[in-house]
């Protein structure tokens, strides 16, 4: 075993030979959107994300299903699975099987296995002082999902959100492999600050550029109106002790907002930024430089403006 439970890494890694290690993860959840096909796509994209965050390539997937045929038509389950299967194909992985249980609260997700060279594994720990921190998807999915449940979001915004959540993190992972990436993870339930905390542990500090954070523009109005998920407050309560400096209003909320199928957080030396950018343009994915690691204030994240 190369990577296990101890470091809160995104996936477990087990060495098979000197050249090959397998990377395994499992993720499933209750519907985040009304449309079953898109729910399937998002749940699958989310499950693959931990494989990409380790720098690995997904190879096989197994469906995990909680569904009650007494409560819902079977056609609904077929749509969820259709969304998942399309995403599995897009990831270049093979669906090997799965398991379902009768469950009144619908659930869907995947168990995914990927492969990686044992020397190429990217953990959430490993960022060096001077490294830049990159993020590859906008923040605010928790706030938007909450507002959607309250019927407060227009169809265009819903579709934009769904598209982002259903997007695989495969391209950023590919670009990470082209540069000297020191560490990576993905942003999910613990929010930006929570997952940054897992990167810095106690050994390094981080400056976070408040005015460089990407977010869905809808949150500017939705978060002050009170559309914030319960998990946001739990994250804030738990991680606020790691934060130096202040953010106000919606900017404070996006720091702690739990993300569904969020982007990758990538630590790399500044000299490698131009090559990463070139790869991002070639592959066609967005990214934002949102911070810089440093020796000062180890174990803390300082919120700074004016970068
Ligand atoms: Co993760
Ligand atoms: Co996960």
């Amino acid at each position: 075993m190369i990577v296990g439970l101890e470091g809160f890494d995104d996936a477990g890694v087990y060495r098979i030979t000197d050249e090959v290690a397998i990377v395994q993860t499992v993720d499933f959840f209750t519907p985040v959107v009304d449309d079953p096909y898109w729910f399937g796509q998002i749940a699958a994209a989310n499950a693959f994300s931990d494989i990409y965050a380790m720098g690995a390539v997904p190879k096989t997937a197994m469906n995990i299903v909680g569904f009650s045929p007494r409560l819902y038509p079977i056609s609904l389950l077929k749509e969820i699975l259709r969304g998942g299967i399309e995403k599995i194909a897009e990831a270049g992985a093979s669906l090997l099987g799965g398991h379902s249980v009768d469950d009144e609260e619908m659930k869907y997700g995947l168990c995914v296995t990927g492969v990686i060279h044992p020397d190429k594994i990217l953990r959430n720990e490993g960022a060096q002082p001077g490294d830049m921190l990159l993020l590859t998807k906008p923040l605010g999915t928790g706030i938007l999902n909450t507002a959607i449940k309250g019927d407060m979001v227009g169809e265009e915004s819903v579709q934009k959100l769904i598209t982002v959540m259903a997007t695989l993190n495969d391209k950023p992972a590919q670009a990470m492999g082209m540069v000297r990436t020191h560490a990576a993870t993905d942003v999910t339930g613990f929010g930006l600050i929570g997952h940054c905390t897992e990167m810095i542990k106690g050994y390094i500090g981080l400056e976070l550029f408040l005015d460089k954070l990407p977010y869905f523009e809808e949150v500017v109005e939705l978060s002050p109106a009170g559309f914030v998920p319960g998990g946001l407050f739990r994250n804030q309560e738990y991680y606020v002790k790691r934060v130096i400096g202040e953010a106000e209003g919606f900017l404070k909320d996006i720091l702690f907002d739990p993300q569904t199928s969020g982007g990758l957080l990538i630590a790399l030396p500044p000299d490698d930024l131009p090559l990463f950018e070139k790869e991002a343009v070639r592959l066609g994915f967005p990214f934002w430089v949102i911070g810089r690691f440093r020796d000062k204030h180890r174990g803390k994240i300082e919120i700074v403006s004016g970068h």
Side-chain angles (χ1 to χ4, degrees):
M1 185 182 80
I2 306 176
V3 179
L5 296 169
E6 71 292 331
F8 299 102
D9 273 292
D10 293 297
V13 186
Y14 188 88
R15 191 200 327 263
I16 303 292
T17 68
D18 285 346
E19 266 85 52
V20 181
I22 54 169
V23 183
Q24 291 197 295
T25 182
V26 55
D27 232 310
F28 59 98
F29 46 54
T30 55
V32 284
V33 290
D34 280 337
D35 187 301
Y37 168 76
W38 282 106
F39 169 48
Q41 287 235 335
I42 293 164
N46 178 70
F48 279 116
S49 185
D50 283 329
I51 296 285
Y52 292 125
M54 304 292 292
V57 177
K59 289 294 179 189
T60 63
M62 309 270 262
N63 280 325
I64 296 164
V65 178
F67 190 83
S68 170
R70 287 172 291 109
L71 292 180
Y72 304 102
I74 204 78
S75 58
L76 201 147
L77 176 58
K78 280 187 178 154
E79 277 298 284
I80 295 173
L81 295 177
R82 184 170 72 89
I85 286 163
E86 281 187 18
K87 217 21 92 175
I88 294 166
E90 190 189 326
S94 302
L95 178 66
L96 296 188
H99 188 74
S100 62
V101 290
D102 195 318
D103 189 347
E104 289 182 5
E105 194 178 27
M106 206 181 296
K107 295 173 190 80
Y108 177 61
L110 300 175
C111 176
V112 187
T113 301
V115 292
I116 192 167
H117 191 289
D119 298 340
K120 297 268 162 70
I121 298 161
L122 290 170
R123 307 187 61 155
N124 52 25
E125 182 178 332
Q128 301 299 312
D131 279 358
M132 307 308 289
L133 178 65
L134 281 47
L135 175 63
T136 65
K137 286 187 187 182
L139 300 163
T141 64
I143 293 165
L144 263 164
N145 279 321
T146 307
I148 288 171
K149 289 192 180 98
D151 230 354
M152 288 299 294
V153 183
E155 197 42 54
E156 205 179 304
S157 298
V158 173
Q159 203 49 52
K160 186 175 64 179
L161 172 69
I162 282 175
T163 306
V164 171
M165 290 192 294
T167 299
L168 288 173
N169 284 327
D170 58 341
K171 288 170 180 165
Q174 217 180 310
M176 281 194 321
M178 305 297 291
V179 298
R180 291 172 297 169
T181 303
H182 287 151
T185 189
D186 58 341
V187 189
T188 51
F190 300 135
L192 179 65
I193 294 289
H195 292 281
C196 285
T197 296
E198 285 173 0
M199 294 187 90
I200 60 172
K201 304 259 186 317
Y203 81 99
I204 198 164
L206 173 69
E207 278 182 293
L208 203 56
F209 308 151
L210 191 63
D211 43 9
K212 292 286 159 59
L213 296 181
Y215 53 83
F216 291 95
E217 62 195 18
E218 288 82 353
V219 304
V220 177
E221 289 188 357
L222 292 172
S223 105
F227 294 100
V228 285
L232 188 152
F233 295 108
R234 284 194 293 277
N235 286 341
Q236 189 179 329
E237 204 177 320
Y238 193 77
Y239 292 110
V240 76
K241 57 181 179 289
R242 295 289 206 140
V243 178
I244 303 172
E246 283 280 331
E248 297 297 328
F250 78 90
L251 282 171
K252 183 179 185 174
D253 285 341
I254 60 169
L255 292 176
F256 298 102
D257 187 36
Q259 301 299 284
T260 300
S261 192
L264 295 185
L265 283 169
I266 303 167
L268 52 85
D271 287 351
D272 288 32
L273 258 183
L275 180 56
F276 186 90
E277 181 158 22
K278 209 174 122 200
E279 288 300 307
V281 170
R282 184 176 69 84
L283 295 164
F285 70 88
F287 77 93
W288 296 266
V289 179
I290 64 161
R292 180 168 43 217
F293 294 90
R294 60 183 187 182
D295 260 331
K296 203 174 146 192
H297 297 310
R298 290 181 190 166
K300 302 273 188 191
I301 300 159
E302 185 172 13
I303 311 292
V304 296
S305 304
H307 274 269

